[in-house]
Amino acid sequence: MSLFGGKSHRNNKEVCMNKHYYCFSALMSLMVTVLQAQEPTITTAHEPLEDLGSITLSTLPILERFKGFHAVQAIQSIPQNLPVDTQEIIASYKENSNTAQPTDDVTIMRQPVVSSPPASLTFEALDDTLTVIPPDTMGAVGPNHIMTTLNDRIRIHNKIGGILLTLPIASFWQTTSALFDPKITYDPFSNRWTFVTLSNPASSSSRILIAVSQTNDPTAGWFRFALAADGSGASWADFPSLGFNSKWIIVQTNMFSVSSGGFTGSHIYVFNKANLYAGITGAIRFFNLTGFGATQAPAMTYDNANPNLYLLQNWNGNAGGAGYLRLYTISGAIGSEILTSPGFIAIGNPWASSHPIIDGGFAPQLSSTRRIMNNDSRMLSITFRNGSIWAAQTVFLPATSPTHSAVQWLQINPTGAIQQFGRIEDPAANLNSGTFFAFPSIAVNTANDVLVGYSFFNPLTYASSGYSFRSHTDPINTLRGTAILRTGLDTYVKDFGSGTVRWGDYSNTVVDPNGTDFWTIQESADLHSIDFQSRWVTWWGTISPLLAIPPLAPLADI
């Protein structure tokens, strides 16, 4: 019996995409990792936190373009389609009578008759320096600043798109180590920024780097810290997920063996938020999960009165004709945190958790037979507001033999009951026609309006970015039609010799600290360089619900 109250789960295996920073000359091929049978376990400990000293960004040399070595984040397998114990199912979408249910798989996929509102402002976040793929598209928004954090650089804008500074990410961390997977958020309750980056991939010296701003101004002072990913040096950390609430900052990482490269488990690090904001080091709470798969993504919690923090995981996209998510909760006093899982959430519309790699990827594009990777179905974006957990992920459909990707979004309550569920999908899409949607992020404002940002791909267009809006007055389970954030301008086939055309690996969509307006940062294909290399570009857009027209009619068959 596991500590989570379920039976043992054995013989876990799945081919799915993960990645780490790696020079192209040593890129590893996609491999299938078969996990040996093991009893799910969770161990807790307190780990020491190292003080890296403070830094003031405005005093560092400003850089407009950075050249470095070519790097590509390689692909490794993580467990995804894990065994489902029916005794641990806590909620079922088809059986929940309190929500408007789709009558079949097609109902949730019909074309909206109302468009999403136009962006009131768009501008370039950061462009491609031809040094890294993918960029790992990420950024956050404060009351006066916008901060973009990619795998190679940091840029800070004012709120009308004016550039205040641009720095190599290595300048922020003052290191020559390989840096990757940046994540950033703004805490509107404490008026602080939190910035997380990983370093030293595939190494016994793997570390989690975490910094918090000293004020709401990201160009001013920051406290910086470091934590060994594994005190024994046997495993290294990849693909962090970042969340916070009134008490904690949470970082979850997927762990891989330094010697074999195989997946070893999941680490969840629980930081005392007040201590970090005060620049105080000390031991932090640490959970080591073995046998529970990967990417238990913590929520960005916009409810300062809720004492708990929720995590959500893609568990199995297709088991017996249903898909399964797993819900977790961190509760308790600071320093004595408890991690529990009430169990699985069953969804009657299954999905595949990964896609076949065809001609370098999966998603089609104009003027090229090369396809673009859409990665896997791990949870990419989790937020908690107004008593609900909202989440978004990429899924691959049909579940048994996927021919296209879609964005799946949902609203659940803390007990796991699904309140809303939908997909952004072209149901007629296949490998040669139609639109693919991937790399979503979701945000919810104080009125319960919703924005989902994403990339989309089509054989008649270049790789582009867009978003879909939902007003709190719109019919349940629906989003409005796609609005284009930025249209792709050229083919994208860059792989640095890896054989796979990387994209993403994620995006971010947030609510402005005013509580109403949305911001989204997304990736699209840019014009080729002067030496004809493919280029990506990241782009910001802000969307106001005030520009949204009222629904002309409910969603209908068209």
Side-chain angles (χ1 to χ4, degrees):
M1 181 73 70
S2 76
L3 292 184
F4 283 20
K7 296 180 180 179
S8 63
H9 306 304
R10 299 181 183 275
N11 300 321
N12 304 340
K13 63 179 181 179
E14 165 71 345
V15 179
C16 216
M17 278 71 74
N18 205 338
K19 44 81 184 171
H20 60 84
Y21 223 60
Y22 215 75
C23 292
F24 73 93
S25 61
L27 181 73
M28 299 180 65
S29 300
L30 179 67
M31 60 180 66
V32 179
T33 298
V34 180
L35 301 182
Q36 296 181 352
Q38 56 183 340
E39 187 81 18
T41 60
I42 175 172
T43 57
T44 61
H46 286 84
E47 296 290 330
L49 189 62
E50 176 188 351
D51 187 353
L52 295 181
S54 61
I55 192 171
T56 300
L57 299 195
S58 60
T59 64
L60 297 176
I62 292 177
L63 180 75
E64 285 303 327
R65 187 165 291 277
F66 169 66
K67 292 290 185 181
F69 65 91
H70 284 194
V72 60
Q73 294 171 339
I75 301 169
Q76 287 197 231
S77 58
I78 62 172
Q80 283 272 17
N81 282 350
L82 303 170
V84 176
D85 185 339
T86 57
Q87 295 184 29
E88 293 185 77
I89 297 175
I90 57 172
S92 175
Y93 183 61
K94 292 291 189 181
E95 297 173 359
N96 184 354
S97 60
N98 294 324
T99 62
Q101 302 300 324
T103 57
D104 53 52
D105 283 46
V106 176
T107 304
I108 59 172
M109 305 167 187
R110 291 169 178 162
Q111 181 66 32
V113 297
V114 178
S115 298
S116 295
S120 55
L121 175 68
T122 69
F123 54 88
E124 180 184 296
L126 279 166
D127 66 349
D128 192 348
T129 60
L130 307 177
T131 59
V132 295
I133 52 172
D136 284 352
T137 307
M138 178 54 49
V141 176
N144 304 304
H145 302 86
I146 300 165
M147 187 166 174
T148 303
T149 56
L150 304 187
N151 271 326
D152 59 346
R153 286 159 299 155
I154 295 168
R155 174 169 285 174
I156 298 176
H157 290 88
N158 60 28
K159 296 291 281 286
I160 58 173
I163 298 173
L164 301 180
L165 63 83
T166 307
L167 298 168
I169 192 171
S171 293
F172 181 96
W173 294 110
Q174 299 286 286
T175 182
T176 58
S177 299
L179 301 169
F180 62 109
D181 287 359
K183 291 288 181 75
I184 192 167
T185 189
Y186 183 78
D187 176 355
F189 303 104
S190 302
N191 298 308
R192 300 291 191 94
W193 304 75
T194 300
F195 180 27
V196 170
T197 309
L198 301 182
S199 72
N200 301 317
S203 167
S204 59
S205 58
S206 170
R207 297 206 298 176
I208 294 100
L209 308 179
I210 183 167
V212 295
S213 66
Q214 296 173 19
T215 68
N216 68 10
D217 181 357
T219 69
W222 289 75
F223 296 121
R224 301 174 307 143
F225 309 91
L227 180 71
D230 180 359
S232 71
S235 60
W236 63 278
D238 184 51
F239 204 90
S241 296
L242 174 64
F244 72 90
N245 73 350
S246 60
K247 297 187 287 187
W248 307 301
I249 294 171
I250 306 291
V251 178
Q252 180 276 334
T253 62
N254 300 328
M255 305 301 295
F256 295 86
S257 169
V258 173
S259 59
S260 71
F263 179 80
T264 61
S266 171
H267 284 185
I268 299 174
Y269 308 91
V270 183
F271 298 88
N272 181 326
K273 188 171 80 168
N275 280 357
L276 289 188
Y277 286 173
I280 299 172
T281 59
I284 61 111
R285 188 75 158 169
F286 159 68
F287 296 98
N288 179 15
L289 279 67
T290 302
F292 286 96
T295 312
Q296 297 84 9
M300 304 291 186
T301 305
Y302 299 100
D303 180 351
N304 236 20
N306 192 308
N308 300 328
L309 191 143
Y310 304 100
L311 306 91
L312 195 63
Q313 176 188 26
N314 183 73
W315 186 264
N316 191 319
N318 185 19
Y324 292 88
L325 308 177
R326 186 158 196 161
L327 181 65
Y328 301 80
T329 302
I330 295 177
S331 60
I334 294 173
S336 302
E337 293 84 1
I338 300 170
L339 175 66
T340 57
S341 175
F344 303 118
I345 301 167
I347 297 173
N349 306 90
W351 60 91
S353 294
S354 62
H355 64 73
I357 298 178
I358 306 168
D359 295 327
F362 186 61
Q365 59 179 314
L366 178 64
S367 301
S368 178
T369 59
R370 296 282 284 166
R371 295 174 179 270
I372 298 173
M373 294 289 291
N374 281 179
N375 290 15
D376 60 37
S377 291
R378 73 190 68 199
M379 280 293 165
L380 293 178
S381 181
I382 312 292
T383 192
F384 181 90
R385 193 187 290 269
N386 299 331
S388 293
I389 303 158
W390 300 76
Q393 64 185 133
T394 307
V395 295
F396 305 97
L397 303 167
T400 54
S401 183
T403 60
H404 61 282
S405 57
V407 166
Q408 182 164 286
W409 65 275
L410 68 159
Q411 175 192 6
I412 64 176
N413 68 23
T415 67
I418 295 184
Q419 299 165 292
Q420 293 192 78
F421 172 85
R423 286 177 179 157
I424 303 167
E425 185 195 16
D426 178 356
N430 56 53
L431 293 174
N432 299 310
S433 65
T435 303
F436 292 42
F437 300 88
F439 304 105
S441 48
I442 189 169
V444 183
N445 68 12
T446 55
N448 258 16
D449 301 323
V450 179
L451 193 80
V452 180
Y454 45 81
S455 294
F456 64 92
F457 311 85
N458 188 293
L460 302 179
T461 60
Y462 302 118
S464 303
S465 59
Y467 57 87
S468 294
F469 172 79
R470 169 183 166 76
S471 170
H472 64 280
T473 61
D474 287 349
I476 194 170
N477 299 326
T478 65
L479 290 173
R480 300 190 185 188
T482 294
I484 296 175
L485 177 62
R486 186 179 186 275
T487 301
L489 301 180
D490 216 328
T491 56
Y492 189 84
V493 299
K494 183 166 53 182
D495 63 7
F496 288 163
S498 68
T500 54
V501 181
R502 299 303 311 283
W503 196 263
D505 275 316
Y506 37 77
S507 69
N508 207 24
T509 302
V510 298
V511 174
D512 191 279
N514 66 22
T516 300
D517 297 330
F518 295 97
W519 294 81
T520 190
I521 180 171
Q522 301 293 331
E523 179 184 7
S524 58
D526 207 0
L527 290 171
H528 285 183
S529 64
I530 57 174
D531 56 351
F532 306 106
Q533 293 191 61
S534 299
R535 298 176 68 236
W536 48 259
V537 67
T538 56
W539 212 260
W540 278 106
T542 183
I543 297 92
S544 172
L546 297 177
L547 298 179
I549 61 173
L552 301 177
L555 295 193
D557 297 349
I558 63 172

